Amino acid sequence: MRVCAVVVAAGRGERFGALKQFLPLGEHTVAATSVRVARCVASEVILVVPEGYDGNGEGADRTVTGGATRSESVRNALVTIGDADIVVIHDAARPFASEILFHAVVDAVVDGVAGAVPALELSDTVKRVQRGSSWRIIETLDRSELVTVQTPQAFRFDDLQRAHAQHGAATDDAALLEVLGAVVLAVPGETSNIKITTPDDWARVSEKEK
Ligand code: CTP
Ligand code: MG
């Protein structure tokens, strides 16, 4: 079975205020760390980089230029894949995902399953709000029905291509399959698998590295 990994690193890092994915993390960069772990399941790793960025030093087999949205960045890589049974999509900004997690999502894609994603249960109470000059609470949601979702996410290549053929945009790939009614399973995520999003996240990462 041929598994290909796509590590998306073409974001602008607006909330962070910098290209967080190319900051140094120990001996490598954040993106290079994500590429290295993705290798544990994939015979080819593609890194998607911002336009004009030379990502050749990040350890991927090849690089592709990203698009304006995360979904477009994924599509730019998908159209370059000739042959694969399973494609694993991973955010470069999640360098702490374990090899065990990569294997877990790939192994969960069995017959009749289009994809698998890591998910965590919520411990906080979750409410819907109406945003304005002050935020008004509208309702409390049933937490037992909700999870937060991470990457790596594994999909059958043909199902993922079908989902992206609609040219939709979403914050993850599973969302594009769900609307088609495809079966996407959740496997246990990892609390250590944080997505570096804001400078606060980086401060926590730096603490951990000490
Ligand atoms: N990403 C991408 N192409 C885009 C947008 C995002 O490849 N057009 C990648 C990011 O580089 C990141 C992952 O998708 O590895 C998750 O995105 P996010 O954490 O939102 O990163 P940014 O989009 O860079 O951050 P922000 O939304 O704050 O600008
Ligand atoms: Mg973003």
Side-chain angles (χ1 to χ4, degrees):
M1 198 173 58
R2 185 171 150 79
V3 181
C4 182
V6 175
V7 177
V8 284
R12 292 208 297 264
E14 279 172 6
R15 286 166 290 180
F16 194 92
L19 294 185
K20 59 196 185 182
Q21 64 271 41
F22 300 116
L23 293 176
L25 181 67
E27 279 177 42
H28 304 280
T29 65
V30 170
T33 306
S34 298
V35 165
R36 287 165 77 88
V37 63
R39 273 208 188 285
C40 72
V41 290
S43 52
E44 183 181 38
V45 182
I46 303 168
L47 180 67
V48 188
V49 296
E51 195 171 359
Y53 190 91
D54 180 2
N56 287 319
E58 308 291 339
D61 298 303
R62 54 197 180 84
T63 61
V64 166
T65 301
T69 63
R70 184 188 181 282
S71 300
E72 266 184 50
S73 292
V74 170
R75 278 194 286 277
N76 287 0
L78 289 185
V79 296
T80 71
I81 298 174
D83 170 43
D85 300 298
I86 289 186
V87 174
V88 179
I89 311 288
H90 187 48
D91 290 334
R94 290 188 185 270
F96 303 113
S98 75
E99 293 192 357
I100 291 171
L101 191 59
F102 274 81
H103 283 288
V105 290
V106 169
D107 291 349
V109 182
V110 293
D111 277 355
V113 175
V117 306
L120 289 178
E121 291 186 285
L122 302 170
S123 49
D124 291 334
T125 298
V126 186
K127 296 184 190 290
R128 188 189 309 281
V129 293
Q130 191 172 51
R131 294 177 188 234
S133 52
S134 57
W135 290 13
R136 175 161 177 195
I137 304 286
I138 304 301
E139 62 171 331
T140 302
L141 303 179
D142 179 1
R143 187 174 65 192
S144 68
E145 282 192 349
L146 301 172
V147 290
T148 60
V149 164
Q150 309 175 330
T151 70
Q153 301 189 346
F155 304 100
R156 283 187 195 288
F157 183 35
D158 49 357
D159 286 316
L160 188 60
Q161 281 178 309
R162 199 159 51 89
H164 275 279
Q166 321 284 326
H167 291 272
T171 54
D172 77 351
D173 296 278
L176 302 179
L177 277 106
E178 292 149 21
V179 295
L180 299 181
V183 177
V184 178
L185 299 182
V187 306
E190 296 176 332
T191 53
S192 52
N193 179 18
I194 63 160
K195 180 161 72 69
I196 300 166
T197 304
T198 64
D200 273 0
D201 297 324
W202 190 247
R204 280 207 298 277
V205 166
S206 310
E207 270 311 301
K208 209 153 91 170
E209 291 295 297
K210 275 182 197 154

